């Protein structure tokens, strides 16, 4: 089943364009969400609108930039290790994972996605680390809990085989 896709491949300097996410001034962009409510918060002299969604994934989608490393319609969020509070408690310890941190410090982002068949309630979450497919990296990725790899759609000219090492994770606590 492989990992998700859309256009674009990040370099070490930056990422893809953002869809959704927070616009200037810390005000969430408007969405077509049916469920949710707006709550006004007093922030100094400014009045800030925050949008809350019943679905946790929708909430995250409006808080984080969307990236498009593959060629399909699935949405990937660009996150950092400090955002791991969104994961279930058993995955929060991954913030100290050496392989994950190496990928993050080289590319300055990680990807987080919801994949699967939502209509049939067969949804899973994946955490992806950018990197290259080399046998030495494959060994390290697997050893540190990222056994799967999928190529990004766009490849660097000088060195192909760029993509994401990924693992299944959960946003729910299982303990």
């Amino acid at each position: 089943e492989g990992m998700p896709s859309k256009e674009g491949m990040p370099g070490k300097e930056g990422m893809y364009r953002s869809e959704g996410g927070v616009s200037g001034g810390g005000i969430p962009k408007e969405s077509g969400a049916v469920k949710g409510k707006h709550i006004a918060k007093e922030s100094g002299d400014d009045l800030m609108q925050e949008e809350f969604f019943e679905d946790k994934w929708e909430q995250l989608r409006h808080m984080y930039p969307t990236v498009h490393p593959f060629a399909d319609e699935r949405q990937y969020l660009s996150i950092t290790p400090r955002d791991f509070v969104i994961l279930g408690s058993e995955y929060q310890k991954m913030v100290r994972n050496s392989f994950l941190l190496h990928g993050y410090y080289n590319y300055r982002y990680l990807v987080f996605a919801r994949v699967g068949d939502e209509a049939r309630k067969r949804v899973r979450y994946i955490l992806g680390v950018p990197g290259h497919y080399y046998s030495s990296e494959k060994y390290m990725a697997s050893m540190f809990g990222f056994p799967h790899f999928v190529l990004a759609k766009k490849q660097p000219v000088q060195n192909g085989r760029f993509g994401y090492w990924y693992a299944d994770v959960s946003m729910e606590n299982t303990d």
Side-chain angles (χ1 to χ4, degrees):
E1 174 174 351
M3 204 156 125
S5 302
K6 259 209 172 189
E7 294 90 39
M9 191 200 91
K12 291 185 181 182
E13 314 79 48
M15 294 183 306
Y16 319 100
R17 65 190 177 101
S18 170
E19 289 180 3
V22 176
S23 62
I27 302 170
K29 289 183 180 178
E30 285 303 314
S31 71
V34 178
K35 294 184 179 180
K37 54 188 168 187
H38 285 63
I39 297 177
K41 278 183 143 180
E42 196 80 29
S43 173
D45 294 336
D46 298 342
L47 191 61
M48 189 166 67
Q49 292 287 325
E50 289 189 20
E51 195 166 4
F52 293 94
F53 295 83
E54 291 179 17
D55 179 59
K56 191 172 185 178
W57 175 254
E58 284 301 311
Q59 184 73 39
L60 295 173
R61 221 173 49 76
H62 288 82
M63 293 170 60
Y64 293 96
T66 303
V67 294
H68 303 285
F70 303 101
D72 65 15
E73 296 302 316
R74 291 179 275 190
Q75 296 181 334
Y76 289 77
L77 305 180
S78 174
I79 66 170
T80 70
R82 97 176 76 165
D83 299 318
F84 279 27
V85 297
I86 65 177
L87 300 176
S89 58
E90 69 271 23
Y91 297 103
Q92 291 178 13
K93 66 182 179 243
M94 292 177 83
V95 75
R96 294 183 302 275
N97 182 304
S98 297
F99 181 79
L100 180 143
L101 291 172
H102 174 74
Y104 172 72
Y105 287 116
N106 279 328
Y107 296 95
R108 308 308 297 171
Y109 73 100
L110 303 165
V111 293
F112 181 64
R114 179 165 80 173
V115 297
D117 185 352
E118 293 183 39
R120 297 170 71 180
K121 305 275 188 222
R122 293 184 182 169
V123 174
R124 66 186 225 256
Y125 296 91
I126 58 173
L127 178 64
V129 178
H132 290 272
Y133 190 87
Y134 298 125
S135 59
S136 59
E137 194 161 343
K138 178 181 180 182
Y139 174 76
M140 294 304 288
S142 186
M143 192 169 89
F144 281 94
F146 292 87
H148 310 290
F149 184 83
V150 65
L151 284 172
K153 181 178 180 187
K154 287 188 179 180
Q155 293 293 312
V157 175
Q158 75 282 8
N159 182 356
R161 305 178 87 181
F162 175 83
Y164 298 86
W165 296 97
Y166 70 97
D168 286 283
V169 294
S170 171
M171 284 197 299
E172 307 300 322
N173 290 326
T174 57
D175 41 343

